[in-house]
Amino acid sequence: MEEVDHLAHERSTAQFDVEAMKVVWAGSKHALSVSDRMARLVASDPEFRKDNRVTMGRKELFKNTLRKAGHAWKRINELRLTEEEASKLRFFIDQPAYTDLHWGMFVPAIRGQGTDEQHEKWLPLAYKMQIIGCYAQTELGHGSNVQGLETTATYDRNSDEFIIHSPTLTSSKWWPGGLGKVSTHAIVYARLIVDNEEHGIHGFIVQLRSLEDHSPLPGITIGDIGMKFGNAAYNTMDNGVLQFDHVRIPRDQMLMRVLQVTREGKVVQSDVPRQLIYGTMVFVRQTIVIDASNALSRAVTIAVRYSAVRRQFGSKNGGPESQVIDYKTQQSRLFPLLASAYAFRFVGEWLKWLYQDVTQRLQANDFSTLAEAHACTAGLKSVTTSVAADGIEECRKLCGGHGYLCNSGLPELFASYVPACTYEGDNVVLLLQVARFLVKTVSQLGSGKKPVGVTAYMGHVEHLMQCKCGVQKAEDWLKPEVILEVFEARATRLAVVCARQIGSAANPEDGFAELSADLLEMAIAHCQLIVVSKFIEKLQQDIPGEGVKRQLQVLCNIYCLHLLHQHLGDFLSTSCITPEQGLLANEQLRSLYSQVRPNAVALVDAFNYTDHYLGSTLGRYDGNVYPALYQEAWKEPLNDSVVPDGYYEYVRPLIKQQFRFSRL
Amino acid sequence: MEEVDHLAHERSTAQFDVEAMKVVWAGSKHALSVSDRMARLVASDPEFRKDNRVTMGRKELFKNTLRKAGHAWKRINELRLTEEEASKLRFFIDQPAYTDLHWGMFVPAIRGQGTDEQHEKWLPLAYKMQIIGCYAQTELGHGSNVQGLETTATYDRNSDEFIIHSPTLTSSKWWPGGLGKVSTHAIVYARLIVDNEEHGIHGFIVQLRSLEDHSPLPGITIGDIGMKFGNAAYNTMDNGVLQFDHVRIPRDQMLMRVLQVTREGKVVQSDVPRQLIYGTMVFVRQTIVIDASNALSRAVTIAVRYSAVRRQFGSKNGGPESQVIDYKTQQSRLFPLLASAYAFRFVGEWLKWLYQDVTQRLQANDFSTLAEAHACTAGLKSVTTSVAADGIEECRKLCGGHGYLCNSGLPELFASYVPACTYEGDNVVLLLQVARFLVKTVSQLGSGKKPVGVTAYMGHVEHLMQCKCGVQKAEDWLKPEVILEVFEARATRLAVVCARQIGSAANPEDGFAELSADLLEMAIAHCQLIVVSKFIEKLQQDIPGEGVKRQLQVLCNIYCLHLLHQHLGDFLSTSCITPEQGLLANEQLRSLYSQVRPNAVALVDAFNYTDHYLGSTLGRYDGNVYPALYQEAWKEPLNDSVVPDGYYEYVRPLIKQQFRFSRL
């Protein structure tokens, strides 16, 4: 294929230092360097080829995963990669695999919930992958409600063992990644029963398969749960089903950092605070927010580049048609997603800090910020993953018909990303947790209890209930203090209205249930405010690189004003702004789109994605889209033969009239 | 599997005659009878099994399509099915196939654009499937903008032939269904050139493949364009690429009903009005609106039934957990989609009438309503397909994690439905056409030109610009005249504001382009009003069956008030309602959800879908979900062997430490 940069003109119009923006996006020069090296390493290694995945049958696809995971482990060791590098390597391989759960859930669960002795015994084996583990929590009949899990772990004092058992069909473990075909071990969550008494849900290390021949151990029924959304996507992963028929494990394989069962069958709470588990959730959800920015930025890269390449309508005097990216309809759908990708990046970065802060406090037995931090990360997990999933699909539509081809990269990206809305806490369930926390916060305002962390703004409830937005002309909407105040006022007023309505219900729990749809909107308002405020805070820092801060300011304003437009009903119904101010915001938004336009391609270049990682004919760095689409078509297996298999049996008889005809 | 109706209790709470509602949904007793017979015919014929599609490789999947299409044709003839029955049969086979384009595009194009002689020659061949045709319009570089097509058809007077040619890579025909591997003929759209003069885009009947051995004819390069979104979905279809190298066809294979090229090379307009083509578009888009109600109702059936089966949280004293459908958060997402399915059904039915009306007028040379009817169907195609596509994905999410499994039926339904947002007019492009029509309509109001059809309400512009909503208590929102007025006022006010802003721009075209994002919202407001008003009109008719009308009234109110809540910003910013009235609408909405709740399962039963058609473990009629999920899992090919292929090469070496280890 010719080597011409079809997007060179787009790149020449950028008004900022793209290399400096790459550092901002990556988080630091070091992070950029690691990420860049690992991306190139993967892209240049033919073992990590992925363009052929979508035509593979399930077995071939799964074997492909095993091969890649093995090769990755080989390279990680050969090159003596650090943990950070290894993690980035797996990220760029871009194929869900059992190793994600081994490193992302199994190892952290032992670290977080295991005792020192358990760490010593199990972690070295896991670090060397001498055992491969997964995380077996959800069951066929139980997802969100962990307390409803049915699997039992009954202590048998005679043998000093736990008996792990699946008492019902619905208690079958269901969904855990890596479980179906690969894991040798699992952390199994089960109801602890000692002397016929229940002691809640706890984790147990259970060996599933022989380390010699991989056959399931006695009493264990195990398999893959079948095909999932998308061609390749998560079908590279062996999500599994698992049933226990009175499987015995030694007592010391219960994870006992928080709760212990002694040899005598006494159940003892340790002095380690139970709240530690929330710290882990803050950690996991923080990584999910960063993932949302990764996935969304990837889709936006494809859509922005192809929108700059693609031309449609608007030809004047036989000249070329207009670039699609010049249409306001395209801009008004695409640029807010570009802005959201950056916004989620920065709030994700801030969540890293929050996790460190919470961890340090927990170590000092300070639980004062934990509930708030937990609500904050739960809410941000929810809003960022929902926007990212919808945003990927929107980007696909923004690419027109060709976005429907797998080689656009977008269908697979959507199918493999969208579970993020459900796993690690269903997004609606999480928002209700946030809502519960906010209602409680509001109800305590009168008592003098000061709201902490990102709910601190509610301390100014009196001001926020009555403040009036001072915007008089479109440019007034560019002032961060104006934006912050209206977003704070909106969140506060929605929360106060909801809290009042719940308060006036005969029973607060019934009131909460009845109003829960409105409570979701209140929780979203709060979460959006967090993203807005962290974006604004980011811009108050020193950001090196010519024009970089200026571009981020434009994106921040787009992010905020787009939200304002999208949720105009909230802002107007709570009288945070007037209809005229809403129109001015819209006017300003249009002007901001024009400011982003010449920088759009450079702003996605700053994500620094390789063509291998994007895996998209439409999102190619050089914009040479049409020859790429054309060449890809001929790789389709159906094109191996001119006359398709089945023609002689099923088509020719029609054409040749080998049926007796009737009425038609 | 045990034969117990797990949803029997849900069915017993219904407050209406389900059989009567089935008639309403189907449109008539006759339509219900045809639909019911065809659905059972397909479901009972093992040749039409479809649960095994998602694990097939592309070639196997495509052969499966050829087999089914052949078998369908055999059955259609054996059973002497009518055209209506045959069409329903294909519908319930539920597998995109080349026959869809043959019957849905190729035959209608010849009927609509061909002369009487062409009808006589080609239609009998097509009716008997002695030739198989497709519709080759879009090109690699040209989708929405038909006038930009590059393929040329040059008249050669010497041989009395047209020379069909693809002058560039981007002029390759791209996407047509049935083209890739099956069609023997195509209607090819190309720029007509006679004596170096261009005469616009016209259709030509071109033979592509030999009727003897199916090999492509000389000068024709043809193939499949590759994998698309989803596992099976549209991968059962051979969307194709096609290039012409100076392919010659007889002059009489240009479709000449509207424009003729004579033997001498004279280009002659016939006396048939060009506007006929808009009549065809009204027809095609009308069927798409009905399809939207089909697809959405199917997803809603699955989500409603599974929400009634699934329990999560809320266990009291160790009793069962709460049914998910009892949560207001679930109701507020699910019931508006249920209401939308019904709403789209009725507006689709009305569009059938509109098409007949337009056709009769065209035959009488009355073009007065054509532009309005065209805008109306374009807009309804756009809003219904967008809501249906998003609604299917929302239903998938409402099923929690299990919705991500292919056997839930939802991933495949989404992937095969979502192209409807792009084909037959991209939804955004269509809304801009509507917007253009509305702006024109508003600008002519002063001139005394009376708006017709569904824009008639704009004739009351003076009243609608200043009327005040009289709602004082929640129940006031149940009055159809109240609803109609606020929806009319909102649409009118948005249109007037937009028209004013465009009017004040230096150049109206630039103003239109600059404001196009707002114009989309204005167009949506108009289209939603159409759906609302047709639902209300339906309820003014006599509807037999105990309790049937009552249920439809509740659904209509939910549809309207949900839209009002979703677009609250519109209604408030145009002062159509006050914030207090918005709160009352929300209150009424919650009460309506409670009224639907006991009828929800029966309301989806009324769609009369067989388990075969639904193809969903979660949406089974009997609600026996968990055993079904469990049994499906063991059909997964990966479960053929306990130890997966690749274990010995790629997993065991890891566990057995056959690498040299390093830093990690």
Side-chain angles (χ1 to χ4, degrees), chain A residues 145 243 321 404 415 630 656, chain B residues 145 212 243 321 404 415 630:
Chain A
N145 183 13
Q243 283 184 309
E321 296 172 278
Y404 190 63
Y630 191 77
K656 290 300 172 187
Chain B
N145 183 13
E212 287 311 310
Q243 283 184 309
E321 297 172 277
Y404 190 63
Y630 191 77

Side-chain angles (χ1 to χ4, degrees), chain A residues 219-239:
Chain A
I220 285 177
T221 304
I222 195 165
D224 183 275
I225 59 170
M227 291 294 285
K228 291 147 286 186
F229 203 167
N231 298 75
Y234 260 90
N235 292 310
T236 60
M237 177 76 89
D238 54 327
N239 296 91

